[in-house]
Amino acid sequence: MGQRSRRRMLPTALSTIKGSIVRERTITIAQQEIAYAESEGTGRAVVLVHGNSSSSRVWRPLLEGPFGQRYRCLALDLPGHGRSARHERPEDYSIRSYASLLAAFATALDARDAVVAGWSLGGHIVLEAASRLPEAAGFFLFGAPPVGGLADFGKAFLPNPAVQTGFTGDVDAATALSYAQSFLAPGSDVPTAELVADILATDGAARVGLWACLGSGDFTDEVEIVSRLAQPLAVVQGEGEQLVSLDYLRAVAAPSLWRGAVQVMTGAGHAPHVEAPADFARVLGEFVADVTP
């Protein structure tokens, strides 16, 4: 898998606060050009997978801060998102395809023993890829309730009309703003400009392809995955979450659940890494420390 992957550094590196540097790179995996950002840290690798209609940009506060200075953070742009190339075939935008890419990405960048964190769609991708990442130190999910099949969606997710935007090809600015606001806790004053920009920049075929994938049930039973997971699993939920049911999360049987409970973060909704970056970095850092010998 590594022999089919090629990496090159882009000519720009972004200097940030306190001298931290985040490098933007690309790697070719199975003939697909994938963009990613890498922090300056040299500690345990932490692979970060963004959500639907987002990009690696949402991880910037983590990469640029003390967490990224300590740990080797690798935040990729999924195909059709951010700076990564688009898929030529809409059917390639599927949970299984993304999971294959994630496993290949970790292998190519010598991060097989990383902590793998996924937000929203990224969390579902992480679960799908778990069996292909046997050396991973642990998995960290938020905004991603494990579902066993289509029947679980009505229980796992809260009724919110903005959800449908995540499966719609053509999205205008007003619709993108409503979708971005659903990521945040009600009444949040967190700026949404970058979230909206990522939504509008995403290949609409990625959203349509994801809908087709989910509608056909083309994904592995995530409840079963979690029930058999050998590695530690952290599950985090924002107290002001507008999209995911906390009651459902707490009812999922997860024998390897970190600290034996879903970790609830105050002052945040669906996107705690954006809304409360310092608290998010603390919680993720505690998990990384706990799974690192």
Side-chain angles (χ1 to χ4, degrees):
M1 195 172 290
Q3 292 178 339
R4 293 184 297 168
S5 303
R6 176 173 51 84
R7 178 169 37 156
R8 64 181 175 86
M9 187 191 303
L10 294 178
T12 57
L14 301 182
S15 297
T16 62
I17 56 172
K18 298 182 181 179
S20 179
I21 294 175
V22 176
R23 294 184 172 86
E24 295 184 349
R25 307 180 187 272
T26 61
I27 186 170
T28 301
I29 297 176
Q31 301 181 331
Q32 179 79 19
E33 186 172 273
I34 299 299
Y36 68 99
E38 182 173 6
S39 72
E40 66 176 286
T42 57
R44 177 178 290 283
V46 180
V47 175
L48 304 163
V49 190
H50 64 75
N52 184 359
S53 300
S54 185
S55 78
S56 60
R57 175 161 56 178
V58 295
W59 304 108
R60 280 283 168 170
L62 196 67
L63 271 65
E64 294 173 353
F67 187 93
Q69 293 172 352
R70 179 175 182 179
Y71 298 108
R72 182 190 176 215
C73 296
L74 300 164
L76 77 161
D77 287 336
L78 295 171
H81 298 70
R83 297 182 300 113
S84 286
R86 299 183 174 196
H87 276 310
E88 294 182 1
R89 304 185 307 165
E91 58 267 29
D92 289 335
Y93 288 118
S94 69
I95 300 290
R96 295 187 194 277
S97 176
Y98 287 141
S100 294
L101 173 72
L102 173 58
F105 178 81
T107 297
L109 292 177
D110 194 23
R112 292 178 294 275
D113 63 348
V115 166
V116 187
W119 170 47
S120 199
L121 170 61
H124 297 288
I125 293 168
V126 168
L127 287 178
E128 184 75 37
S131 64
R132 309 178 199 190
L133 297 167
E135 298 175 51
F139 302 105
F140 186 100
L141 310 181
F142 59 110
V147 291
L150 295 177
D152 286 342
F153 277 73
K155 298 175 290 183
F157 294 94
L158 301 173
N160 190 314
V163 170
Q164 193 56 41
T165 302
F167 309 116
T168 303
D170 295 326
V171 175
D172 61 24
T175 304
L177 176 58
S178 295
Y179 190 40
Q181 289 171 335
S182 75
F183 298 165
L184 311 176
S188 173
D189 60 0
V190 171
T192 57
E194 291 189 349
L195 295 171
V196 170
D198 278 343
I199 293 166
L200 294 174
T202 298
D203 183 6
R207 290 187 286 266
V208 174
L210 178 60
W211 177 250
C213 163
L214 297 178
S216 65
D218 187 23
F219 57 92
T220 305
D221 183 336
E222 296 171 349
V223 173
E224 179 71 13
I225 292 171
V226 168
S227 72
R228 295 178 177 273
L229 201 60
Q231 298 101 318
L233 170 69
V235 178
V236 174
Q237 169 107 333
E239 186 178 44
E241 171 71 75
Q242 298 191 65
L243 303 177
V244 175
S245 168
L246 179 58
D247 288 340
Y248 176 87
L249 274 181
R250 285 174 166 163
V252 174
S256 67
L257 185 63
W258 182 53
R259 296 178 174 171
V262 176
Q263 305 301 300
V264 178
M265 289 186 57
T266 60
H270 190 64
H273 56 324
V274 174
E275 301 166 272
D279 285 345
F280 179 84
R282 175 185 57 79
V283 174
L284 179 56
E286 290 171 356
F287 179 69
V288 175
D290 282 354
V291 303
T292 299

